[in-house]
Amino acid sequence: MAAAVADSLPPTTYGCSPALLLNSATSSSSTTARSSVASALAVGTGGAGASDAAGAELLPVSNVNVHPLVLLSVLDHHSRRQEGAGRVIGTLLGKRDGGQVEITNAFAVPHAERGDEVAIGKDFNRQMLALHLRANPRETVVGWYATALPPDENDPMNNGESKCIADTSSLIHEFYAGECDDDPIHLVVDTSMQYDAMALRAYKSIPVCVKGETLANMFHEIRLTLKSSESERICVDRMIASTSSSEGTTTLATHDESAALQLSMEKLLAMLETCSEYVDKVVDGTIAPDDETGREISDTLNSVPRIRPEVFDKMFNDSLQDLLMVTYLSNITKTQLVIAEKLNESLGK
Amino acid sequence: MEADRPITSVKLEVLAALKIIKHCQESLPTMVTGSLLGLTIEEGCLEITHAFPMPEPHDDNRGDIVKTGDDAAIDDEAAALDGHEYQMEMMKMLREVNVDNNCVGWYQSMYLGTHSTMNLLENQLAYQAELSPNAVVILYDPMQTAHGNLVLKCYRVSDEAVHLRTTGKNHFIKPKSIFQEVPITLNNPGLVRALLRDVGDGLHGPYSAELSGTDTTFDRLDLSTNPYLEKHLEFLCSWVDDLAAEQYKFQHYTRSLRNNVENRNAKGRKAKEELAAAIEEGWTRSDAPKRMESLLISNQIRTYCDQVEKFTGGGFGKLYLTKGLHGETKKQPSSSATSS
């Protein structure tokens, strides 16, 4: 499992791909975001063993939940980057609950990289953070994000692929370790578009110690899931639906209740058909019966309440009358409004 | 400024939309505001690319955050800035990372479509007068954004109403034409579309339902109408009361005008003319009750009525659908029984 700086698997969101970065002892202890030397090394199995030993005493972050807003901010920042800039970085805000990290917000931070040197807009970061905290005091810094670094022509190991983790990553990571209370999370959005999909990766950093002396940082990939609240979800669903149209835009004004209802019903019908098809096949013997599935289907069917016809009719009529009543009221109100407006208009004449 | 033509449409980038939604949703039940950044891109089209929240005016929760020493100093500095300064500061910071540095309006959360208030009108007028005639307000309704519907509206004050306001006249204006709704289109830039495709295809894990438990397709089939309608009726009641109070004010004022004239004991046709003139003069006086208030109220009531009608319209459909389904299920067992 020789892991170089960045492996480029097709975009699964989870995988164990440790990327080991060695820094010199001086740079790891310095708190400034400038380094003298930081060189990347490919390390064999020894590195994994060291990480296990070191990982035991850390607060284990096992899962990262990312909200779509964060990803959109990163992409927006990436498309607004300075001309010639390789990648962009920024601060991730959110909250941490044990092994779960939830990233809910992000803001861009200006930075510059040249070779092994990094300059981060520290003052900018601090001021922006203060501004953010005023509007939303519940979020704290949980880490940082970066987009993938385009291939470096001077690099002898250059194979034309962009990198998710670079030498400078560990320096930036160190800076953020000072900014947040716990271990920072590093989120990488691969914007190089070399594959058919946009890879999202989350890393945590584990120091590699030999005889109590920190030699290197190892970026260890952790599970990343997309999560959104109901309202975000509604918006994202809308957006996803609109990607199939050519311009990628949705008009919000033309919302048709009945069309949406039809869509829901069609989906329901399709799901029911899938179910009954499955049951038919099992009955015919083409598919081996699965107890689990059968039980689930039976549970689902049982959850449909059995209502006696007369009870149902009563319920139906009650609801119908309620609705009719409300419609009637609202129409009366409208009529009254017209009169009120006419009166208002005639005043002073 | 670029005020040649009033804007007729708004392109809202999804990033801005999500920022608005997040802010409004998380701050519930408080109603919050924020700023919109963007550009007028072409004739009559406004593009909104960024949004940021405004801090609540009296924010006492800041003490909870753990800070290091110099962080606290900066934070105090930031806390000293209020609304406007905060906005300037934020825009200055955002300019450094190449975000559009042009304020084009503001956003606010709204409660069940309540938008037609004096407060909002004044605020929006201030924006349109000071910032640009093309400033807009975007309203997001966290309460109505459920069951798969996204309620995001964009308004500006119509020229007619602006004119009325600047001349300070107490004239009548059609309630519907105070605010002008601007159609919104959600705009996804290229990279975002790529990401959304991936998400839609389920490349980044099972996004499409089970995990978050918020598949919104079936929420729409919810039959319970009562909470929504109850709230609406409640609101309607209180707003109608307000309207009645306003009308009473007018009535009272008219009567007092009339009494004044009649006390002068004039007679015949001359008296009538005098009365008419006095009433006309009376309505232009500064202490005359303001009509805008009642016009806004009636505009609001109409909005409620429209919402109720839209909702009940859908409700009827669903109700009959259920009846139909229930009829089917009643028939089906008997038919299957006969076949077996």
Side-chain angles (χ1 to χ4, degrees):
Chain A
M1 53 163 286
V5 268
D7 65 334
S8 36
L9 289 167
T12 52
T13 47
Y14 178 63
C16 189
S17 59
L20 191 70
L21 293 172
L22 279 187
N23 3 340
S24 64
T26 48
S27 71
S28 71
S29 59
S30 76
T31 47
T32 59
R34 248 165 219 288
S35 82
S36 44
V37 193
S39 56
L41 273 190
V43 178
T45 44
S51 83
D52 286 344
E57 58 200 79
L58 288 166
L59 182 80
V61 176
S62 57
N63 196 1
V64 177
N65 290 324
V66 180
H67 284 249
L69 171 66
V70 176
L71 301 176
L72 295 186
S73 313
V74 176
L75 294 180
D76 183 69
H77 185 199
H78 179 74
S79 52
R80 288 174 192 279
R81 68 191 183 279
Q82 296 284 359
E83 207 180 333
R87 60 173 179 177
V88 292
I89 67 160
T91 306
L92 296 173
L93 297 168
K95 57 175 184 280
R96 176 181 297 228
D97 183 19
Q100 293 271 342
V101 175
E102 195 161 340
I103 307 174
T104 50
N105 210 343
F107 62 84
V109 174
H111 90 304
E113 283 177 74
R114 204 184 302 113
D116 290 337
E117 294 194 347
V118 192
I120 304 174
K122 276 163 105 181
D123 287 342
F124 180 95
N125 180 47
R126 201 169 304 146
Q127 260 171 299
M128 195 64 168
L129 182 63
L131 288 174
H132 262 279
L133 289 181
R134 274 203 69 198
N136 199 339
R138 273 166 300 204
E139 291 171 342
T140 53
V141 180
V142 291
W144 63 291
Y145 71 78
T147 51
L149 200 67
D152 184 4
E153 273 103 47
N154 306 327
D155 192 352
M157 283 166 69
N158 177 19
N159 51 0
E161 289 191 342
S162 61
K163 302 186 280 190
C164 287
I165 303 276
D167 304 356
T168 44
S169 290
S170 66
L171 295 169
I172 306 173
H173 203 79
E174 237 166 62
F175 165 71
Y176 276 98
E179 292 291 308
C180 50
D181 305 332
D182 300 292
D183 295 330
I185 300 296
H186 178 35
L187 176 75
V188 179
V189 180
D190 186 357
T191 42
S192 59
M193 307 302 281
Q194 283 170 334
Y195 300 96
D196 282 348
M198 202 176 282
L200 311 171
R201 282 155 208 279
Y203 297 96
K204 65 180 170 181
S205 163
I206 297 166
V208 179
C209 298
V210 175
K211 287 184 184 167
E213 203 172 318
T214 314
L215 283 179
N217 275 332
M218 184 155 108
F219 281 96
H220 193 79
E221 190 164 348
I222 39 183
R223 183 185 290 274
L224 175 108
T225 31
L226 274 182
K227 195 184 166 192
S228 48
S229 61
E230 191 191 348
S231 46
E232 279 178 323
R233 165 94 206 187
I234 290 168
C235 189
V236 172
D237 278 352
R238 266 298 189 73
M239 281 149 33
I240 290 174
S242 74
T243 48
S244 39
S245 75
S246 53
E247 316 94 65
T249 55
T250 342
T251 316
L252 282 176
T254 56
H255 182 68
D256 193 2
E257 184 85 15
S258 59
L261 190 63
Q262 191 179 350
L263 219 77
S264 295
M265 286 312 281
E266 271 165 12
K267 192 168 173 195
L268 183 64
L269 199 66
M271 284 171 103
L272 283 174
E273 261 166 16
T274 317
C275 242
S276 77
E277 214 170 273
Y278 171 80
V279 172
D280 283 348
K281 273 186 185 162
V282 170
V283 171
D284 292 348
T286 35
I287 294 182
D290 178 26
D291 292 348
E292 195 70 25
T293 321
R295 224 169 281 134
E296 298 243 332
I297 292 177
S298 148
D299 282 351
T300 315
L301 288 180
N302 283 335
S303 72
V304 178
R306 282 204 72 81
I307 308 168
R308 287 214 306 280
E310 59 268 26
V311 180
F312 179 82
D313 281 346
K314 189 177 177 322
M315 270 163 57
F316 176 79
N317 285 326
D318 284 355
S319 306
L320 196 64
Q321 264 168 19
D322 282 354
L323 285 181
L324 282 172
M325 185 58 144
V326 174
T327 319
Y328 175 65
L329 274 176
S330 100
N331 276 326
I332 284 189
T333 320
K334 272 193 171 173
T335 322
Q336 293 290 332
L337 270 188
V338 175
I339 296 174
E341 274 164 28
K342 277 273 173 263
L343 276 175
N344 197 330
E345 194 175 1
S346 68
L347 282 176
K349 275 186 186 163
Chain B
M1 274 195 180
E2 64 287 324
D4 310 324
R5 265 178 57 181
I7 55 153
T8 48
S9 67
V10 166
K11 262 191 185 170
L12 184 64
E13 247 175 53
V14 285
L15 172 68
L18 272 181
K19 275 187 188 265
I20 295 171
I21 292 174
K22 173 183 183 300
H23 183 213
C24 293
Q25 198 80 33
E26 279 181 356
S27 331
L28 279 178
T30 325
M31 299 282 124
V32 289
T33 58
S35 286
L36 303 170
L37 303 178
L39 288 171
T40 314
I41 43 172
E42 52 199 70
E43 284 287 285
C45 185
L46 181 73
E47 190 183 44
I48 298 169
T49 52
H50 205 92
F52 62 86
M54 294 285 250
E56 287 159 44
H58 302 293
D59 196 353
D60 299 319
N61 302 332
R62 284 182 310 106
D64 304 345
I65 319 153
V66 189
K67 304 181 219 89
T68 57
D70 51 354
D71 262 358
I74 299 270
D75 203 49
D76 285 345
E77 209 175 281
L81 314 169
D82 60 352
H84 188 65
E85 287 168 73
Y86 179 89
Q87 191 183 348
M88 296 315 287
E89 195 67 19
M90 192 62 139
M91 278 170 69
K92 208 177 85 199
M93 305 298 281
L94 287 173
R95 188 171 53 195
E96 280 190 47
V97 283
N98 301 335
V99 172
D100 288 341
N101 192 51
N102 180 28
C103 184
V104 291
W106 59 299
Y107 69 83
Q108 193 180 31
S109 37
M110 85 179 151
Y111 191 77
L112 279 182
T114 312
H115 70 273
S116 190
T117 59
M118 213 55 187
N119 228 334
L120 191 127
L121 180 72
E122 293 293 340
N123 230 333
Q124 176 60 16
L125 275 172
Y127 265 88
Q128 273 177 234
E130 284 162 27
L131 189 72
S132 143
N134 282 341
V136 292
V137 55
I138 288 198
L139 295 167
Y140 167 72
D141 197 328
M143 307 310 288
Q144 285 194 82
T145 301
H147 309 312
N149 295 339
L150 179 64
V151 181
L152 211 62
K153 292 203 185 302
C154 179
Y155 288 101
R156 57 191 298 273
V157 178
S158 68
D159 298 336
E160 211 179 327
V162 171
H163 178 74
L164 203 64
R165 208 63 196 167
T166 43
T167 52
K169 281 192 187 129
N170 197 8
H171 277 189
F172 176 79
I173 172 175
K174 270 201 183 134
K176 264 189 198 164
S177 53
I178 298 173
F179 289 103
Q180 188 184 352
E181 191 172 346
V182 188
I184 301 181
T185 41
L186 278 181
N187 188 27
N188 309 333
L191 277 173
V192 174
R193 287 177 67 192
L195 177 74
L196 287 173
R197 272 278 165 100
D198 288 357
V199 171
D201 293 346
L203 266 174
H204 300 299
Y207 182 72
S208 50
E210 300 82 10
L211 190 77
S212 43
T214 46
D215 189 1
T216 51
T217 329
F218 294 131
D219 287 354
R220 208 174 280 130
L221 299 177
D222 189 5
L223 270 179
S224 80
T225 53
N226 289 345
Y228 186 86
L229 287 179
E230 265 169 31
K231 258 273 97 51
H232 261 100
L233 288 179
E234 205 176 284
F235 273 45
L236 263 178
C237 281
S238 76
W239 282 82
V240 168
D241 277 348
D242 287 352
L243 186 64
E246 286 293 320
Q247 297 284 15
Y248 182 74
K249 249 192 248 167
F250 291 146
Q251 203 182 339
H252 192 75
Y253 188 72
T254 318
R255 194 177 299 145
S256 72
L257 279 179
R258 189 176 286 266
N259 282 346
N260 277 348
V261 177
E262 273 167 10
N263 285 347
R264 280 188 233 144
N265 279 332
K267 282 186 191 92
R269 195 203 294 157
K270 207 181 162 204
K272 235 178 198 171
E273 278 167 18
E274 206 174 299
L275 185 67
I279 288 177
E280 201 160 314
E281 191 239 310
W283 279 103
T284 52
R285 280 218 307 262
S286 58
D287 60 333
K290 294 273 171 284
R291 289 187 206 201
M292 194 47 104
E293 198 79 50
S294 84
L295 294 176
L296 283 173
I297 293 174
S298 67
N299 189 22
Q300 186 55 50
I301 295 178
R302 178 162 285 129
T303 315
Y304 284 140
C305 288
D306 287 343
Q307 274 171 208
V308 164
E309 270 169 30
K310 196 175 157 212
F311 187 79
T312 48
F316 281 128
K318 280 189 272 188
L319 208 54
Y320 276 103
L321 202 67
T322 325
K323 189 178 162 69
L325 276 178
H326 200 77
E328 290 273 305
T329 46
K330 258 192 297 176
K331 258 181 258 161
Q332 250 168 13
S334 58
S335 64
S336 63
T338 47
S339 66
S340 67

